[in-house]
Amino acid sequence: MKNNIPIELKPKVITEYVIRAVVSMAFKGFHRKSIATEFHISTGSVEQIISSEDGLVEKRKQFKYQSKRRRHKVTILRAIIGNPGHKAGNQKPLL
C-alpha cells in the first residue's frame, strides 16, 4: 500500500499460447519491446522466452547483421549516385 492506496496487482501467467506467439513474432524479426507491448508482458519475459528457444538468438543476430548490411549498402550507393564524378578509390570523404 503506497500513499494509502491499495494495489491489487497479480503477476501475469504466461500461457503456452503466449509463448508460441512470442516465438513466432521473434522469428519474424519483431523488436522485443513491440512483442512485449502486444502481449502485455515485460521485455525481460520476452528475452527469457527468446533465450530458451533453440537457435532463435542466432537467427535474430543474423537478422540484425543483414539489416545493418542493407542500411550501409544503401548509404554507399546514395553517395556514389549523388557524386558521379568522384573517383572510385576515394569514397571515404563522401560518407
Side-chain angles (χ1 to χ4, degrees):
M1 186 172 348
K2 188 173 184 179
N3 296 330
N4 295 328
I5 301 171
I7 299 174
E8 296 180 24
L9 298 176
K10 295 180 183 176
K12 182 171 179 127
V13 176
I14 300 174
T15 63
E16 191 63 36
Y17 167 76
V18 172
I19 292 172
R20 283 195 309 263
V22 166
V23 169
S24 173
M25 286 182 76
F27 263 116
K28 292 176 185 175
F30 282 88
H31 193 272
R32 290 185 310 270
K33 189 170 184 170
S34 62
I35 296 172
T37 305
E38 176 77 23
F39 297 106
H40 305 288
I41 57 177
S42 69
T43 55
S45 297
V46 172
E47 288 177 4
Q48 278 185 335
I49 293 169
I50 289 172
S51 296
S52 67
E53 194 67 28
D54 289 335
L56 187 53
V57 174
E58 290 79 20
K59 186 85 167 167
R60 287 175 64 83
K61 281 183 183 179
Q62 188 178 16
F63 286 156
K64 188 173 182 180
Y65 169 78
Q66 290 172 352
S67 175
K68 283 186 176 184
R69 182 177 162 270
R70 282 190 304 271
R71 187 175 16 170
H72 293 307
K73 182 179 178 180
V74 167
T75 303
I76 292 169
L77 288 175
R78 282 185 184 151
I80 291 170
I81 291 169
N83 300 293
H86 205 72
K87 296 194 190 263
N90 197 8
Q91 297 297 328
K92 199 107 175 164
L94 291 177
L95 305 174

